[in-house]
Amino acid sequence: GRTLQHAPHPWTRPAADTGAMTHRQQSDQRGQSLVEFAIALPVIVLLMLSLFDFGRAVIFYSELTNASRTGARVAIVNQSDDSSCLGGDATFKCAAADVTAGMAIAAGDIPDLVVGGSDCALPSSCTATVTVDYSFEPITPIVSSFFGTVTLSSSTTMPLERTHSSP
């Protein structure tokens, strides 16, 4: 019998070249991987730090929103701009400052109440707007060099329930 021999496919290597990689090829490949990692690492670290500071900004903005809402709920029954927080009658500034305790916003730092409407003899025709501002600074130096200080602000407007001003 005759055996049939197939011609090698033009795209395949001959059997002699299919051995393991030489030591030099492995060393070159490891060096290339190290260079690629060294290039990608700063980008990955910057992205992670940016996400960290973005998360902090979102949390602070959420806290500001809660503070302005809490301040507005007090302002619809007590429109006093007092920021001493010593009296028994809570003012909107004190209520908003209490919510932002983690951000260290003082009652005196909250702007005065804006009462809107034409005739406040009928309280429901007027509104109280409370605004709370905060200067957010990223913790990471690289991110802060790109963005600097960012002013976060939240306002809440609600209709007055009664017109009252504590002494």
Side-chain angles (χ1 to χ4, degrees), residues 24-113:
R24 179 171 169 80
Q25 288 173 328
Q26 288 176 345
S27 178
D28 288 348
Q29 202 169 36
R30 274 189 259 140
Q32 178 183 354
S33 297
L34 184 62
V35 169
E36 289 173 356
F37 180 72
I39 291 171
L41 183 64
V43 174
I44 292 169
V45 168
L46 180 63
L47 183 65
M48 288 176 59
L49 293 176
S50 298
L51 286 174
F52 174 74
D53 276 329
F54 179 73
R56 285 183 60 242
V58 169
I59 289 170
F60 283 5
Y61 182 74
S62 176
E63 217 172 305
L64 281 179
T65 302
N66 289 337
S68 69
R69 188 179 316 118
T70 301
R73 290 176 59 88
V74 172
I76 62 176
V77 294
N78 180 2
Q79 293 82 44
S80 171
D81 280 331
D82 183 27
S83 61
S84 66
C85 302
L86 298 176
D89 201 9
T91 64
F92 76 94
K93 288 185 177 188
C94 299
D98 285 346
V99 174
T100 61
M103 298 166 59
I105 295 178
D109 295 338
I110 297 173
D112 288 343
L113 180 68

